[in-house]
Amino acid sequence: MLKINMISKTFDRGSVNEKKALHQVSLSLDEGEFVTVIGGNGAGKSTLLNCISGVHPVDEGSIILDGTDITFSPEYKRSRLIGRVFQNPLLGTAFDMTIAENLAIAWARGKPHGLSPGITRPDKALFREQLALLGLDLEERINQKVKLLSGGQRQALTLLMATMGRPKLLLLDEHTASLDPAIAKKVLHLTRKFVSEEKLTTIMITHNMKAALEYGSRTIMMHEGQIILDLSGEERAEMTVERLVKYFESRSGVQLENDRLLLS
Amino acid sequence: MTLMNLATVLSSVELGVIYAIMSLGVFISFRTLNMPDLTVDGSFVLGAAVSAVLCTAGRPLAGIILALAAGALAGSVTALLHTKLKIQPILSGILTMLALYSINLKVMGNRANIPLLNQKTIFNLPEWMPGPDYAALIISLLLLFTVMILLYFFLKTKIGLVLRATGDNEQMVRALGVSTDLTKLIGLALANALVALSGALIAQYQSFADVGMGIGMVIIGLASVIIGEAIFGTSNLLRRLIAVILGSIVYRLAIAFALELGMPPTDLKLISAVIVCAALSMPTIKEQLSLLQQRYTAAVNNRGRPL
């Protein structure tokens, strides 16, 4: 489904701030595969996602999604195939518009945006149905503005918007990191539910090693712009957080003191 | 109103109604797209110039329609400067506005003003009107009402929704597969088309076009938007549009009232600037005041000296 061939990305090339964010990274995902990504700060996790989604153009290499070469496509065109949820709950929704209006924009993804009505009656019924899946009673608040929602509710809504219409690829960039633990767990459960029900090909970055092993079918670890570990199958089933941390420390030479990386 | 006679009130309302179309344009760029578009000062005159030139050719209605197209073109230039050449939005608008000054003079045949006395205009076209007294008001109200309804339904269409989302959250719009370059182009074209329409109507209403008539227009539009929001609220889209219109009328009445009280007309721009300044700084001033009060109470309670 997704084929990344030797992509590299360097920021501020030639300046004192030059930062090699990705170094010849290759990664292949089968259809329906759910990959979790871990790694320290500055490992290149977010850059990888941003290169796939087209926020940053890559310096070299190619990205093929569902048989289409998207290496040079603009961000908005790739977004017709890719659903995204960001870490910041403010980035996923239009705050001054209603829940229904936000969903309508997501629902229209990849379809022509003509002068037809933004929300029809059947649309609204469908949105209520979909919102009910979140279990947050948002279906009762469909005409309320999104700015009235909490961060967790917004993030659940963004997740719904990102998965509506079944994107070819779902990219989750620490989408629960800024939520409080209870709602973060809820959003993670919803993520698993949507991904498995729709068989979505998914990449999820997380700071939480436990979640990284618990969710999905494959885990990769990044360090200094490269993938240093790729776990799946039995090897992954037998992996524990402690061994993962040890492995990370031995491979990277960095002591993990950051609690957030372990459990959050 | 004892201080203002009926004729003054009527003409203020007429002006308010025509300028409300311009304010709706400013509402689209400043509020819906969240872009400070200064093209307005130029595109208003562009509309007036096109309209006046066609009036002198005996085609007032064509003047109105062409003004719309010319305004849309001006807005598109600003949008392209910003989205394709990556010039800051405010500077893009200023550049287009500056260029339009020369273009407007060219449109007007290198004259600084065009008088339209004894010319056919859309305000004296229909002979069936119930007396000339209310003709201008009825025609401009009809136009404004049409513009408002069309705008309302447009902002509720699929493309209208993404236009509104662009002002809220560009990142989200791109993440949902829509080019924000395109939405900004459509938005600014629409905004300046309305501004030019308003300019075209004003030229025919007051029977002249002047190359300097657009100065400060964006501030007047913004003042109307802010006054409307403050008095009539922002709870939903229809209410917001109506608020902008009423804001424009209130602004005109306030100006007329100030003039009645003896304010020299040359102070008009100063007053407009002060009104907008006051309205924009209100949240900050409120915050500072409450902070000051908190510090004072804290100081009194602690019997200490504030830093």
Side-chain angles (χ1 to χ4, degrees):
Chain A
M1 179 54 70
L2 176 70
K3 258 198 165 53
I4 299 171
N5 283 319
M6 305 282 275
I7 60 168
S8 297
K9 177 72 192 174
T10 305
F11 291 108
D12 298 315
R13 189 193 289 275
S15 82
V16 284
N17 294 324
E18 183 171 300
K19 167 93 181 103
K20 228 179 193 175
L22 289 179
H23 184 65
Q24 300 190 330
V25 172
S26 293
L27 180 68
S28 264
L29 264 70
D30 292 332
E31 184 161 5
E33 205 165 14
F34 183 176
V35 178
T36 56
V37 184
I38 48 177
N41 289 331
K45 309 181 299 290
S46 289
T47 309
L48 176 65
L49 255 53
N50 283 335
C51 284
I52 298 172
S53 58
V55 176
H56 306 311
V58 294
D59 300 335
E60 53 173 1
S62 66
I63 304 169
I64 317 281
L65 178 60
D66 194 27
T68 316
D69 187 341
I70 57 167
T71 317
F72 300 105
S73 317
E75 183 187 354
Y76 77 90
K77 276 194 184 160
R78 300 187 202 192
S79 296
R80 292 171 189 168
L81 306 171
I82 302 174
R84 272 187 283 168
V85 185
F86 310 99
Q87 179 177 347
N88 183 348
L90 301 179
L91 288 181
T93 43
F95 63 95
D96 205 23
M97 297 172 74
T98 65
I99 294 178
E101 286 169 337
N102 273 277
L103 284 168
I105 296 172
W107 186 231
R109 177 217 301 262
K111 298 165 196 158
H113 281 79
L115 290 173
S116 54
I119 311 172
T120 60
R121 213 174 279 268
D123 283 346
K124 237 179 194 168
L126 173 86
F127 297 161
R128 280 215 174 82
E129 217 171 274
Q130 298 271 318
L131 284 166
L133 299 176
L134 299 178
L136 296 169
D137 294 330
L138 292 183
E139 62 274 18
E140 311 295 331
R141 302 170 65 183
I142 196 160
N143 290 322
Q144 282 184 18
K145 286 188 178 174
V146 168
K147 63 182 167 193
L148 300 172
L149 303 185
S150 71
Q153 289 170 329
R154 277 195 198 194
Q155 211 60 333
L157 177 62
T158 309
L159 182 69
L160 179 60
M161 287 163 62
T163 52
M164 253 179 154
R166 210 175 173 275
K168 299 286 181 200
L169 180 65
L170 177 64
L171 301 177
L172 309 168
D173 190 350
E174 293 195 51
H175 65 309
T176 59
S178 60
L179 308 179
D180 60 63
I183 188 85
K185 194 159 196 171
K186 172 118 198 166
V187 173
L188 270 177
H189 280 303
L190 284 169
T191 306
R192 171 145 65 190
K193 182 175 149 189
F194 288 151
V195 168
S196 65
E197 277 172 8
E198 303 276 329
K199 296 191 175 52
L200 298 172
T201 313
T202 304
I203 304 179
M204 176 174 92
I205 297 179
T206 175
H207 256 111
N208 183 335
M209 295 232 184
K210 191 162 157 274
L213 292 175
E214 191 182 327
Y215 291 85
S217 53
R218 182 175 165 194
T219 299
I220 61 174
M221 183 185 279
M222 291 189 72
H223 182 64
E224 290 183 344
Q226 289 181 305
I227 295 173
I228 57 169
L229 181 69
D230 191 339
L231 286 174
S232 56
E234 215 166 295
E235 204 185 356
R236 182 173 184 266
E238 287 167 4
M239 184 57 86
T240 60
V241 172
E242 289 73 27
R243 283 178 52 211
L244 202 57
V245 170
K246 258 202 190 105
Y247 183 83
F248 178 78
E249 287 175 346
S250 71
R251 274 301 296 269
S252 65
V254 176
Q255 282 305 117
L256 279 182
E257 291 165 38
N258 191 350
D259 282 344
R260 200 163 93 84
L261 197 58
L262 303 174
L263 303 163
S264 60
Chain B
M1 250 178 264
T2 48
L3 262 165
M4 282 160 74
N5 59 38
L6 190 65
T8 318
V9 174
L10 182 66
S11 72
S12 300
V13 173
E14 282 166 1
L15 279 175
V17 166
I18 302 176
Y19 277 112
I21 298 177
M22 185 268 296
S23 305
L24 286 172
V26 170
F27 171 79
I28 293 173
S29 48
F30 274 72
R31 287 290 188 258
T32 307
L33 284 179
N34 198 13
M35 262 178 85
D37 175 30
L38 299 192
T39 317
V40 171
D41 283 19
S43 55
F44 185 82
V45 183
L46 180 65
V50 168
S51 154
V53 167
L54 276 144
C55 265
T56 54
R59 306 288 300 278
L61 207 59
I64 300 288
I65 291 160
L66 273 178
L68 266 168
L73 202 64
S76 307
V77 170
T78 303
L80 290 174
L81 287 178
H82 167 54
T83 58
K84 296 301 172 196
L85 302 180
K86 309 288 178 208
I87 299 171
Q88 295 155 349
I90 194 146
L91 202 52
S92 307
I94 293 175
L95 287 169
T96 312
M97 174 181 81
L98 183 69
L100 278 174
Y101 189 84
S102 300
I103 292 170
N104 291 338
L105 277 171
K106 269 198 211 313
V107 171
M108 292 164 77
N110 287 319
R111 286 168 293 172
N113 59 66
I114 301 178
L116 294 176
L117 291 170
N118 305 321
Q119 296 282 358
K120 253 200 295 182
T121 70
I122 63 155
F123 295 107
N124 56 28
L125 264 187
E127 320 224 315
W128 47 265
M129 275 294 167
D133 285 0
Y134 294 100
L137 185 62
I138 291 170
I139 292 171
S140 41
L141 265 177
L142 275 176
L143 271 167
L144 173 64
F145 192 66
T146 313
V147 166
M148 189 196 79
I149 294 293
L150 286 177
L151 187 59
Y152 175 73
F153 283 109
F154 172 71
L155 289 176
K156 290 265 184 190
T157 61
K158 286 202 163 65
I159 188 81
L161 286 184
V162 284
L163 202 82
R164 286 158 61 200
T166 304
D168 262 12
N169 186 348
E170 272 187 51
Q171 169 85 68
M172 167 228 182
V173 173
R174 279 196 298 273
L176 291 174
V178 182
S179 160
T180 46
D181 289 2
L182 182 69
T183 54
K184 285 177 187 172
L185 181 81
I186 294 171
L188 286 184
L190 177 64
N192 284 288
L194 293 184
V195 171
L197 170 62
S198 177
L201 293 172
I202 285 290
Q204 297 196 16
Y205 173 78
Q206 58 191 21
S207 295
F208 72 88
D210 184 282
V211 78
M213 69 196 283
I215 296 172
M217 209 39 78
V218 70
I219 294 302
I220 293 172
L222 201 52
S224 308
V225 171
I226 294 170
I227 292 171
E229 285 173 349
I231 303 180
F232 305 102
T234 59
S235 59
N236 63 50
L237 185 63
L238 188 62
R239 189 169 181 148
R240 294 192 79 153
L241 296 181
I242 293 173
V244 170
I245 290 168
L246 294 177
S248 170
I249 294 170
V250 168
Y251 175 84
R252 285 294 146 189
L253 286 171
I255 294 292
F257 188 64
L259 288 172
E260 280 303 287
L261 287 180
M263 180 187 79
T266 43
D267 286 357
L268 254 173
K269 308 266 190 235
L270 178 64
I271 299 295
S272 309
V274 170
I275 290 176
V276 171
C277 254
L280 290 180
S281 57
M282 205 52 87
T284 317
I285 292 172
K286 266 188 197 157
E287 198 180 315
Q288 296 284 342
L289 280 179
S290 79
L291 209 67
L292 212 64
Q293 194 174 11
Q294 271 175 35
R295 279 174 56 180
Y296 177 77
T297 351
V300 169
N301 289 343
N302 302 336
R303 304 206 174 273
R305 199 163 52 90
L307 190 67

